[in-house]
Amino acid sequence: MRELLALDLAESDATMAPLPNGAGGAWRSAVTEMTVAGIDVDRFLTWWQGRLAGGDRSALLSANPERYLADSSGEVVEIIETIGSGPLRFFLTFHDGVEIADEGHEEYPVRIGGTGRLGDGTEIARVMHEFGDGPDGLRIRLTIQFPANTPEHVFVGHQWHFACEFTNWLEGAHAQA
C-alpha cells in the first residue's frame, strides 16, 4: 500500500507539512460525539485497546473504507487514511499531556490523547478520545485538531471518519461480548 500510494503521499506531505508554521501555532478542533446503549467504557476499551496493542489489522482496517493501512507496532501506529480529499500517511503516538484546548473534558473520566506526525516529524494532528458511562449508555467524544489554516473539508471529513470507524469498532466490541 505504501508503494501504491507513494506519489499521493508525497503530494499530501507537501500540502500538509507547511500548515503548522502558517497557522502561527493556532489549532482548530473537529468534534464527534456519540452515545451508545448496551456497552460500557470498560468493555469497549478492553476490546479496542486490545486490537491496537495486538496489531489486529483486520479490525483496524475494516473500521473505515478510507483507511488504507494501519500498522500498530509498539507505541506508534502508522496510518494511511483519507484526510481531506486524499490519502495521508502519519504516525500516531498515544501519550499524556496532549494539548487540546476545548472545554467539556471534565464530563469524560477516561481520556486517551495522541499526536500525529508526518514522516519528517512535523506535528500535523492532535487527538483526544474521551469516554464515560452515562444514563443512556457509553458516551464518546472524539476530538481531532489540525493547524487552524487547514482547509475546512478536512475538519468535516474527519468528523464523518470518526463516526464511521467508531461505530464499526463499537459493533465489533458488541459482537465479541
Side-chain angles (χ1 to χ4, degrees):
M1 199 49 72
R2 290 177 193 98
E3 290 176 27
L4 288 172
L5 295 172
L7 293 175
D8 295 304
L9 297 175
E11 184 178 314
S12 65
D13 279 357
T15 299
M16 298 297 277
L19 292 176
N21 287 336
W27 292 79
R28 194 171 132 223
S29 296
V31 178
T32 305
E33 294 181 291
M34 55 181 68
T35 301
V36 184
I39 192 166
D40 62 18
V41 171
D42 288 337
R43 192 165 91 197
F44 175 69
L45 289 180
T46 297
W47 182 89
W48 182 60
Q49 290 177 315
R51 306 290 77 71
L52 287 171
D56 183 345
R57 285 188 176 178
S58 176
L60 296 174
L61 288 173
S62 65
N64 194 313
E66 294 182 333
R67 177 146 313 130
Y68 302 99
L69 181 128
D71 192 3
S72 178
S73 55
E75 301 291 316
V76 179
V77 183
E78 177 186 3
I79 298 172
I80 299 175
E81 65 186 23
T82 298
I83 300 280
S85 58
L88 177 72
R89 179 181 181 209
F90 61 98
F91 300 85
L92 180 62
T93 304
F94 290 104
H95 59 89
D96 294 332
V98 176
E99 298 178 34
I100 299 286
D102 294 341
E103 296 180 11
H105 303 294
E106 61 279 353
E107 298 177 27
Y108 298 87
V110 179
R111 301 180 74 209
I112 302 170
T115 304
R117 297 185 180 278
L118 298 176
D120 69 0
T122 301
E123 182 181 7
I124 197 63
R126 297 173 181 169
V127 297
M128 184 61 67
H129 300 326
E130 299 171 283
F131 306 90
D133 291 320
D136 297 324
L138 171 61
R139 296 179 61 237
I140 302 174
R141 177 182 169 139
L142 307 165
T143 302
I144 189 160
Q145 288 187 332
F146 295 106
N149 58 340
T150 301
E152 179 66 23
H153 70 278
V154 173
F155 294 93
V156 174
H158 218 77
Q159 287 174 303
W160 285 105
H161 181 93
F162 273 158
C164 176
E165 74 183 352
F166 273 84
T167 297
N168 286 322
W169 284 331
L170 286 157
E171 288 179 2
H174 256 297
Q176 188 178 22

